[in-house]
Amino acid sequence: MGTEFETIRYEVSDQIATLTLHRPDRLNAFTQLMAAEIMSALDLVDGDDGVRALIITGEGRAFCAGADLSAGTATFDYEARADSVFGTDDSATDDPVARFYGGIDDMRGDDPDAIRDTGGIVVLRLFRCTKPVIAAISGDAVGIGVTMCLPADIRLAVPNARFGFVFNSRGLVPEATSSWFLPRIVGISTALEWCYTAQLISAETALEGGLLRSLHEPETLIADARALAKGFISGSAPVSATLTRQMMWRGLGASHPMEAHRIDSRAVVAQGRGPDVAEGIMSFLEKRPPTWTQSVPSDLPDWYPWWDEPRFT
């Protein structure tokens, strides 16, 4: 099953959704339209009870070369970009980019510099994804090309992939919330070294630094990612996987273990009274694979999400 987009491909098979960045002639460079289409695809993932995991990859010899620089020095003129879509009635336009920006009610703050970074909007949406996420990095990933992978639960890559946190060398700063994610994944010193030097990092260095789980030959990358996703599917009840993903990611920002205790206690009680726990116990005792009857999003507990989503403004 596939859904038609212009800058990405979206397909579902065997309970696994695959989102492929699809601008190979431009090295899958990131555009506003790509951002809008990724957001739409993530809505499909979260809204489909038949999807149990998501793989994100790229078409061609690069995963994503970063922001499309065809606009030259205006590429990062967010004020001009935002002004072009503010006030749009997102229900009255066929333009997916206008709908994307027009659907965000806290796009801009009172401070003239407070305009939301497009990459950050996409990354935060991926952070909220209710299904396990695997990034299968099929080539170079630079700028937003690598920072969009940071909220993936697992990152795989081909051996010749290179990674670039190049923002400082462009007079910018780390974007797309990477200053939150990257130090948590690789440690503060490594994160700062990679950003200060702004050099391309080899796949081996990224593996040693903890950015990657493993390296895979190009011809096996997607098959290996799918095998990993199938392991997630066979190993976890659907609701359990969703709750576990959010408990662990959001726990990285918790001020005390008591915050985890409050949520995991609530989840254990809620799940303990449901059919999947009974099935999990019986299948274990009977030495057979479980047959889960609960699904996501249909059977998420009524207190999910348990957090208040922060606003930009």
Side-chain angles (χ1 to χ4, degrees):
M1 181 186 72
T3 300
E4 292 300 318
F5 292 103
E6 184 176 329
T7 66
I8 66 172
R9 290 203 317 263
Y10 179 79
E11 301 167 308
V12 178
S13 65
D14 298 328
Q15 300 182 292
I16 302 169
T18 302
L19 190 167
T20 305
L21 308 181
H22 195 249
R23 299 184 71 216
D25 57 322
R26 301 288 299 177
L27 301 180
N28 299 322
F30 185 82
T31 65
Q32 295 174 64
L33 179 57
M34 182 180 284
E37 292 188 337
I38 291 172
M39 296 281 281
S40 294
L42 292 172
D43 288 344
L44 294 175
V45 170
D46 281 355
D48 188 345
D49 286 88
V51 170
R52 295 285 314 278
L54 169 64
I55 295 171
I56 301 176
T57 191
E59 183 71 25
R61 61 190 178 91
F63 174 79
C64 175
D68 189 321
L69 300 178
S70 59
T73 57
T75 299
F76 296 100
D77 187 349
Y78 279 90
E79 188 165 13
R81 183 185 307 174
D83 285 342
S84 69
V85 292
F86 282 155
T88 299
D89 180 354
D90 58 317
S91 65
T93 178
D94 292 329
D95 181 353
V97 174
R99 288 199 307 271
F100 169 55
Y101 286 109
I104 300 170
D105 62 4
D106 63 342
M107 183 70 194
R108 189 173 200 169
D110 295 332
D111 184 329
D113 290 338
I115 301 172
R116 295 186 67 173
D117 159 40
T118 302
I121 296 169
V122 172
V123 166
L124 288 171
R125 178 63 185 84
L126 186 58
F127 179 62
R128 296 195 302 273
C129 185
T130 58
K131 314 295 171 70
V133 179
I134 299 169
I137 303 169
S138 49
D140 288 356
V142 179
I144 183 62
V146 63
T147 56
M148 75 166 74
C149 297
L150 297 182
D153 304 317
I154 305 287
R155 286 165 296 279
L156 317 178
V158 295
N160 65 345
R162 296 175 299 174
F163 303 85
F165 298 89
V166 298
F167 313 104
N168 287 19
S169 68
R170 308 291 189 267
L172 293 168
V173 296
E175 44 73 90
T177 72
S178 56
S179 60
W180 191 91
F181 283 98
L182 187 60
R184 286 170 166 81
I185 295 169
V186 304
I188 185 66
S189 294
T190 297
L192 285 170
E193 179 181 346
W194 289 356
C195 290
Y196 287 156
T197 60
Q199 295 178 347
L200 292 178
I201 302 154
S202 70
E204 283 290 347
T205 299
L207 179 66
E208 292 169 2
L211 182 65
L212 301 176
R213 168 192 179 269
S214 49
L215 300 181
H216 304 259
E217 293 304 318
E219 58 270 21
T220 67
L221 176 66
I222 298 303
D224 291 344
R226 290 185 64 84
L228 185 60
K230 289 176 182 178
F232 294 170
I233 292 169
S234 64
S236 291
V239 175
S240 298
T242 294
L243 296 178
T244 298
R245 180 174 202 271
Q246 294 299 330
M247 287 163 60
M248 289 204 177
W249 273 113
R250 293 179 186 278
L252 292 176
S255 61
H256 192 280
M258 180 57 77
E259 295 184 44
H261 182 49
R262 292 184 185 121
I263 295 304
D264 60 40
S265 296
R266 198 174 187 181
V268 166
V269 171
Q271 289 302 101
R273 68 168 71 99
D276 275 0
V277 166
E279 171 63 11
I281 293 171
M282 289 306 299
S283 64
F284 173 75
L285 295 175
E286 295 171 359
K287 297 180 172 54
R288 59 171 175 82
T291 301
W292 310 117
T293 56
Q294 293 181 293
S295 60
V296 176
S298 295
D299 297 302
L300 287 171
D302 56 12
W303 43 263
Y304 182 96
W306 61 84
W307 62 91
D308 292 324
E309 200 64 40
R311 290 180 59 83
F312 181 71
T313 55

